[in-house]
Amino acid sequence: DSGVTQTPKHLITATGQRVTLRCSPRSGDLSVYWYQQSLDQGLQFLIHYYNGEERAKGNILERFSAQQFPDLHSELNLSSLELGDSALYFCASSVSTRGGGYTFGSGTRLTVV
Amino acid sequence: DQQVKQNSPSLSVQEGRISILNCDYTNSMFDYFLWYKKYPAEGPTFLISISSIKDKNEDGRFTVFLNKSAKHLSLHIVPSQPGDSAVYFCAATGSSGTYKYIFGTGTRLKVLA
């Protein structure tokens, strides 16, 4: 157990629907990062939150949004889902120093049918 | 634009021999590099890192080498063990104020017993 909790582990939904992925960071970590891993692709950076504020955006679609709440958990909202959104979505947390890297959760596998 | 590249999607090595995984980057602003290991159905786990002020960092059986002029880093695993079989991602970040990592597409290492 890495200390980063992602729910749900698996999600199957239809095109056009909206889903919410949840992440609880490791205790004491203020930063949350979201990544998407599609088939045969590396981890694509989506967005970074630090202590409730958005700090950086990557290749995140306009149909996707995220937020970090006062208790530091984060949610990634995906709407108007398309088949191509099927992927593994990882959340990672850190204390916002570079040393030691992030701690990743085990991911949410999203399948859009 | 793939700023971090792992050109070998897979590598097979005999148990006890050396595994060498390679990674190239294009952005000269990157100054901190990491390697992550990922087992199926788990999130990536941090393995080893190196700052651009160094050209080598060692941790047990794992050594990372950095060649800044060539924008190239490599991970050496000696001796390789069957439990090292996993996907290895290299990642890079710069002093942008947000510690987002840019990941490569990964190399699947298989250590044969």
Side-chain angles (χ1 to χ4, degrees), chain B residues 77-90:
Chain B
I77 306 173
V78 185
S80 301
Q81 299 174 353
D84 296 329
S85 297
V87 178
Y88 289 79
F89 292 97
C90 69

Side-chain angles (χ1 to χ4, degrees), chain A residues 16-33:
Chain A
Q17 294 298 303
R18 182 180 189 274
V19 297
T20 298
L21 313 184
R22 183 188 166 102
C23 170
S24 293
R26 199 177 51 167
S27 178
D29 288 354
L30 299 179
S31 271
V32 169
Y33 304 81

